[in-house]
Amino acid sequence: MLSRSAQAIVRFIYAELEAFATGGGENVDSEGSEELLRNLSAVLPRHSRATSPEA
């Protein structure tokens, strides 16, 4: 299970990428969307380890 902070980050990134993909008032451009995905890739493993029973 992800921590609350990780869940908030995921929700934010999801909303931004959904808006970017659908053209619904996006706040990011192509470069920004790449940065969001890089950050998501970095954050999720850290939070998964921190909340994992084996950690």
Side-chain angles (χ1 to χ4, degrees):
M1 171 174 282
L2 293 175
S3 67
R4 287 185 184 188
S5 60
Q7 290 175 1
I9 292 167
V10 170
R11 282 193 298 271
F12 170 75
I13 291 174
Y14 179 85
E16 290 296 315
L17 291 176
E18 182 178 46
F20 174 74
T22 61
E26 65 270 4
N27 294 318
V28 296
D29 55 13
S30 293
E31 189 175 301
S33 68
E34 291 172 7
E35 184 67 28
L36 286 172
L37 289 173
R38 276 194 296 274
N39 284 300
L40 184 61
S41 296
V43 166
L44 287 178
R46 286 187 218 154
H47 282 274
S48 294
R49 276 196 304 270
T51 59
S52 171
E54 295 129 14

